[in-house]
Structure formats: C-alpha cells, structure tokens
Amino acid sequence: MQKRDPLFRRRRPWHPIILMVALLTCSCSDPPKNSFQGYVEGEFVYVASPIGGRLDALNVRRGQPIKKGDPLFELEHELEASVVKEASEKYRQATERLANLRKGKRPSEIQAIQARLKSAEAGLRLARMEYDRRVKLNKQQFISEESLDRARTEQSKKNQWVQEIAADLKTARLGARPDEIKAAEAEADAVKARLAQAEWNLAQKRQISIRSGLIFDTLYYPGEWVPPGRPVVMLLPPENVKIRFFVPEKVLGRLSLGQPVFVSFDGGGTVSAHIDFISPRAEYTPPVIYSSQTRAKLVFLIEAVAEPGQAHLLHPGQPVDVSESSPKESAHE
C-alpha cells in the first residue's frame, strides 16, 4: 500500500482550479447588479501532539462530524505512563516524610517522657517537704546548718530536673527543627512539579477535540511514526468556513460589518450569511475572474460567515454567488 504524504495533502492546489472552471463557465453572461462571484474557503485547525511517537489509535475518519471533547488520536505512551508512576511514588514518599517531621516523636516516646516528668515532679515534692521539715528543726536547733544546706541543694536539683524533662516534652511535641521542615517542604514541591510535568506529557499523547466540527482529513495511518508537532488531523469548525468574494470600489460604500448577505451555489441552494471582514486595502481583480465587466478594476476582498447551522452546506473550494438581497427579493426586482 502506497504511503500518503501529509505535506502533499496540505498543499493540494485544487481550490483555485475549481473556482477557475466555474467562473469560466459563467463568464459569458452578465452577472446581476447585486451579485458577486466568490468561493468558499476553510481555515483548518491542525491538531498535533508536541511529543512524537508511534500512532497507536486513530479515532476519527475523514468526513466525520465530531463534538468538543471527542477523542481524536492516541500515540504510544508506555514510557510516559511509567514516568508518571515513578514520580507519583516519589511524591507520596516526600509527603509522608514531611508529615512525619511535622508530627514530632512517636506517641510511645512522648508517653515515656511524660512518665519521667511525673516521677521527677514526685521527687521534687518530696524534696520540698524534706526541706520544710529541716527548716523547722534548724530553728529549734535540732539540726545543723550543714544539714539544712544539703536539703536546700537537693530541692534545687529536683526542681532543675523537672524543668529539663518538661523542656524535652515540649521539644518532642514540636517535631523536627524549622530548617529541616522547610527543606522537606521544598523537596516535596519539587517532586510535585516533576509529577505535574510527567502527567502533562502523558496527556499530550492522547489528543481530544477542543472544538466541534468536521474531520476534513487525516494525515497519518496507525503504526506510522509521528514527529513532534506534526499534525495528524485536520479539523474544520463550522465557524471557520468563510465565503470570500470581491466587490468593486463603487459597491464598497454600501457594505458594512455584520450586514446580511445571501450565498447561492449550484444545485439551487442558498445560505444566509453576514459580513465578517472588509479588507482595508484595494487590489486588482483576481486573475481567475474573467468577466469583461470586472477585469482590471480595483476591488476589495470581503469575507462572510454563514449563519449557525448552515455552514455544513458549504464546502472549501466551492464556487458561489453572493448577493445583498435574497433570491426571492431579486426575482421580484
């Protein structure tokens, strides 16, 4: 099977050929006063992935209408999926380590410190009672000053011991030092950023449509290698279907943005549209328009957009006639 060349597809010069043949056919007759020859142009949306890979699945076909959010194509993504899995596990470990540093010591360790504090407080109470008793005995001259000093020293030692254990308990409840927690937070943020990047890379391997429209063409077969940034699908949203026609300078003054026009094409069809763009620059009549009435005159490019729900009746490259009045009104005139 012969391989299709995507670049060749994108450069097919069939729009001017169709237009030239159609205009040559009708050049022998004089066009109506309010009718202008033109053609339909499509401004395509080229959907690509910024990351290359083998095309594993093509979910659409040429000519298929799609809605916003419909899947378009999928590239191989085994490597990206493994990177996401690894980054997710590292992020879980980093967040658990940060939570552990913020919690402080384990409950059993805190309970052991609390038990030591209670024992020290009991020893302090006993030392105070002993000191008070010896103060009374010293006043009655039953004990010496040396014995009283020993009781005072013992009470002071017990008090300091209680304060030390209380400080240890407070530190155990605070967790790790602030600089350690800050470093752990920075590490968790870095791992989270790497995870977000990996998830974005994986998401780019599965492209969905961000607009409703028509699949105008597909440029690769499943199994082919798609380079980064190369389009796989050509999407034509209805609002990107333009009617382009040229009007003489004398007519330009009565046209304005938003003005309704009527587009007729072979087969008796008519589409309502409105003017979307008026070129500010004059140009010579395009060489594909061979009517003797318009040859070598300055004209202005006008673009119109079909009203909602009617764009599907028009096709890129299709020759059309654009008039300011509806066919019924023209018939009455």
Side-chain angles (χ1 to χ4, degrees):
M1 181 173 61
Q2 186 176 3
K3 178 178 177 182
R4 294 179 293 177
D5 186 358
L7 292 178
F8 176 75
R9 285 194 180 183
R10 297 172 62 185
R11 297 173 181 171
R12 292 181 293 188
W14 43 269
H15 290 188
I17 296 175
I18 295 176
L19 179 60
M20 185 180 298
V21 173
L23 295 178
L24 281 173
T25 304
C26 62
S27 63
C28 58
S29 60
D30 294 338
K33 290 189 301 182
N34 295 331
S35 181
F36 312 100
Q37 296 174 343
Y39 62 97
V40 180
E41 183 65 58
E43 297 178 350
F44 304 107
V45 176
Y46 296 91
V47 184
S49 171
I51 305 174
R54 185 185 65 245
L55 181 60
D56 280 352
L58 185 62
N59 306 107
V60 293
R61 64 181 185 279
R62 287 186 291 173
Q64 174 185 343
I66 60 169
K67 297 180 180 179
K68 180 178 180 181
D70 288 349
L72 297 177
F73 63 89
E74 183 175 324
L75 303 180
E76 59 174 341
H77 53 270
E78 289 79 7
L79 176 61
E80 288 74 13
S82 63
V83 173
V84 168
K85 184 177 180 181
E86 179 183 1
S88 179
E89 178 62 23
K90 289 184 177 179
Y91 180 63
R92 183 190 64 80
Q93 295 176 357
T95 52
E96 289 182 353
R97 178 173 178 272
L98 177 60
N100 182 58
L101 291 175
R102 286 173 173 169
K103 287 189 299 185
K105 293 188 176 181
R106 292 185 291 269
S108 58
E109 294 176 325
I110 293 179
Q111 291 175 359
I113 297 175
Q114 290 175 336
R116 287 170 49 207
L117 179 60
K118 290 181 179 180
S119 176
E121 290 173 343
L124 176 60
R125 288 192 296 270
L126 181 61
R128 285 175 177 172
M129 293 172 58
E130 179 66 19
Y131 174 72
D132 292 341
R133 187 174 66 85
R134 294 200 178 196
V135 167
K136 294 179 180 180
L137 292 176
N138 179 263
K139 288 180 179 180
Q140 298 174 2
Q141 298 183 353
F142 288 123
I143 60 173
S144 63
E145 289 292 335
E146 181 182 357
S147 180
L148 180 61
D149 291 340
R150 285 198 298 268
R152 185 184 298 110
T153 302
E154 185 67 20
Q155 176 183 309
S156 178
K157 289 171 56 178
K158 297 292 184 182
N159 185 49
Q160 291 178 359
W161 179 241
V162 168
Q163 292 179 1
E164 180 180 347
I165 297 176
D168 291 342
L169 180 61
K170 183 178 180 180
T171 302
R173 286 173 174 170
L174 289 176
R177 293 191 299 270
D179 54 343
E180 290 181 337
I181 294 178
K182 188 176 181 179
E185 289 175 345
E187 180 183 358
D189 291 341
V191 175
K192 184 179 180 181
R194 289 195 292 269
L195 174 59
Q197 179 65 47
E199 291 175 339
W200 185 87
N201 291 340
L202 178 60
Q204 297 310 304
K205 290 300 189 79
R206 301 184 181 96
Q207 290 293 321
I208 63 173
S209 177
I210 61 173
R211 301 169 72 176
S212 299
L214 179 75
I215 299 299
F216 188 82
D217 204 353
T218 57
L219 307 178
Y220 285 89
Y221 289 114
E224 290 184 312
W225 174 264
V226 182
R230 290 292 295 270
V232 177
V233 172
M234 293 174 62
L235 174 64
L236 181 59
E239 61 270 21
N240 285 21
V241 177
K242 308 287 185 179
I243 301 101
R244 291 181 175 174
F245 59 101
F246 295 84
V247 301
E249 185 271 337
K250 294 180 180 180
V251 178
L252 185 66
R254 66 172 186 251
L255 300 179
S256 60
L257 292 176
Q259 178 177 335
V261 292
F262 299 90
V263 183
S264 302
F265 48 89
D266 292 341
T270 302
V271 170
S272 300
H274 63 273
I275 295 177
D276 183 65
F277 171 75
I278 299 177
S279 176
R281 183 177 59 184
E283 53 191 289
Y284 285 102
T285 302
V288 294
I289 298 181
Y290 291 96
S291 172
S292 60
Q293 287 77 13
T294 58
R295 187 183 301 123
K297 291 183 179 179
L298 290 178
V299 293
F300 289 81
L301 170 65
I302 308 293
E303 287 188 357
V305 179
E307 300 299 338
Q310 300 187 43
H312 68 280
L313 300 174
L314 303 174
H315 307 281
Q318 182 180 23
V320 295
D321 292 319
V322 182
S323 59
E324 300 175 69
S325 57
S326 66
K328 293 182 180 180
E329 294 175 350
S330 299
H332 289 305
E333 294 176 358

